[in-house]
């Protein structure tokens, strides 16, 4: 069952990826702003979500849908009778997309239960970068993949040797606090990356391109698929104190490193 769901997630992600990539070549403009003037949405975000939503509704009419551009939590809970919910980011890394930086993704996850990371059971997830063609996938209990190749998180390293990614929210005050934490962490690690696409940050932990990743303020659609993929690749992916990754806190890395980074971030007042 999970494999059929993953096949569907992958097919839908590739269809949306083809659309998004084509729209990027045609030229992208901002359609609207969301939480702040720098939190933008493009027409391609909306078109991508509409395509994903309709393909999933055709294939699985009884499932609920929770997507970045159209869903309120209530809407998602109202939809569906099967007990499954699709969590969708139609373009993760929208600012990269706007600037034609080829590092953005379509992220699709299917979970058992409501769109609540504390209670859902993620079954399958897919993160596709349409600009590179890289597709990361996982099904619960069956490992994680980049294309056809099984992937594994890097072994643990000391914090001083760790390449650590993070991200920032769209609210200026939140960013001020996030920047202060990063300024203190920077001299204590190998280096910091802010690549702009949370789903791909988690996938890069999954295949060892990063040692660790942390961020506060993520939405469900930012972390759902990447968290499953990183976990299936052997990383520890949690919030504070081992609870599920969520908007409050998401941290991924080899278990020993993740524990050390979490302790240090708490000291720094993350
Ligand atoms: C954003 C990206 C970014 C992360 C932000 C997210 P969006 O998603 O994933 O890397 O730092 O927290 O909101 O807005 O590009 O879909
Ligand atoms: Ca996102």
């Amino acid at each position: 069952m999970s494999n059929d769901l993953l096949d569907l997630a992958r097919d839908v992600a590739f269809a949306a990826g083809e659309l998004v990539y084509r729209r990027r070549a045609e030229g992208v403009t901002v359609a609207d702003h969301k939480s702040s003037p720098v939190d933008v949405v493009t027409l391609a975000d909306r078109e991508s979500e509409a395509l994903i939503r309709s393909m999933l509704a055709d294939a699985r009419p009884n499932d609920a849908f929770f997507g970045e551009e159209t869903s309120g939590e209530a809407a998602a809970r109202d939809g569906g009778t099967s007990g499954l919910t699709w969590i969708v980011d139609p373009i993760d890394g929208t600012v990269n997309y706007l600037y034609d930086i080829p590092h953005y993704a379509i992220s699709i996850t299917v979970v058992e239960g409501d769109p609540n990371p504390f209670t859902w059971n993620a079954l399958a997830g897919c993160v596709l970068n349409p600009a590179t063609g890289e597709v990361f996938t996982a099904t619960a209990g069956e490992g994680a993949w980049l294309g056809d190749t099984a992937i594994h998180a890097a072994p643990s390293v000391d914090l001083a040797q760790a390449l650590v990614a993070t991200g920032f929210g769209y609210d200026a005050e939140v960013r001020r606090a996030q920047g202060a934490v990063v300024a203190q962490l920077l001299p204590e690690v190998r280096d910091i990356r802010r690549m702009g696409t949370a789903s791909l940050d988690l996938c890069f932990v999954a295949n060892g391109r990063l040692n660790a990743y942390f961020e506060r303020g993520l939405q469900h659609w930012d972390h759902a698929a990447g968290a499953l993929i990183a976990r299936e690749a052997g990383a520890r992916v949690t919030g504070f104190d081992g609870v599920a990754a969520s908007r409050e806190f998401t941290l991924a890395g080899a278990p020993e490193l993740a524990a050390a980074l979490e302790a240090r971030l708490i000291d720094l007042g993350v």
Side-chain angles (χ1 to χ4, degrees):
M1 155 96 159
S2 292
N3 285 329
D4 293 345
L5 295 171
L6 179 61
D7 287 345
L8 176 61
R10 199 194 283 107
D11 288 350
V12 172
F14 272 104
E18 195 272 324
L19 170 72
V20 160
Y21 189 71
R22 180 157 36 90
R23 290 288 186 253
R24 181 50 266 179
E26 290 165 3
V28 170
T29 50
V30 171
D32 206 352
H33 298 88
K34 297 191 285 184
S35 62
S36 86
V38 290
D39 183 5
V40 299
V41 57
T42 72
L43 279 183
D45 289 87
R46 291 178 177 161
E47 281 185 293
S48 173
E49 183 153 322
L51 177 67
I52 294 167
R53 190 171 193 149
S54 85
M55 286 183 76
L56 291 174
D58 286 348
R60 308 256 332 159
N62 298 324
D63 295 351
F65 181 86
F66 189 76
E68 172 158 21
E69 307 306 338
T70 49
S71 290
E73 243 166 88
R77 290 216 170 90
D78 288 347
T81 53
S82 66
L84 300 188
T85 303
W86 293 84
I87 313 283
V88 169
D89 196 334
I91 301 179
D92 188 27
T94 299
V95 175
N96 285 346
Y97 184 70
L98 184 64
Y99 281 75
D100 203 10
I101 295 170
H103 189 79
Y104 52 88
I106 314 295
S107 176
I108 301 180
T109 320
V110 59
V111 306
E112 241 168 357
D114 287 335
N116 175 353
F118 294 109
T119 57
W120 77 36
N121 177 27
L123 300 177
C126 172
V127 176
L128 167 71
N129 179 347
T132 62
E134 286 194 329
V135 59
F136 295 86
T137 54
T139 47
E142 289 180 28
W145 306 82
L146 167 53
D148 295 332
T149 306
I151 52 174
H152 305 284
S156 194
V157 292
D158 288 344
L159 203 47
Q161 296 297 317
L163 184 61
V164 179
T166 190
F168 307 119
Y170 289 110
D171 177 86
E173 278 315 306
V174 171
R175 286 178 167 204
R176 200 183 308 280
Q178 289 175 319
V181 170
V182 168
Q184 296 177 86
L185 187 65
L186 179 56
E188 302 179 9
V189 295
R190 180 187 293 272
D191 208 343
I192 297 279
R193 293 290 180 269
R194 194 296 188 242
M195 293 186 285
T197 305
S199 56
L200 288 173
D201 290 332
L202 286 159
C203 291
F204 281 19
V205 171
N207 78 340
R209 288 179 186 161
L210 292 168
N211 294 111
Y213 161 74
F214 73 94
E215 185 163 347
R216 296 198 71 176
L218 290 179
Q219 305 287 348
H220 301 343
W221 45 76
D222 297 320
H223 64 76
L228 175 65
I229 292 163
R231 191 174 321 113
E232 285 296 326
R236 180 183 114 150
V237 186
T238 63
F240 291 121
D241 289 327
V243 303
S246 74
R247 184 167 192 170
E248 192 195 17
F249 189 51
T250 296
L251 183 148
E256 216 180 314
L257 171 64
L261 178 59
E262 179 180 350
R264 188 63 190 126
L265 287 168
I266 290 170
D267 281 352
L268 296 176
V270 70

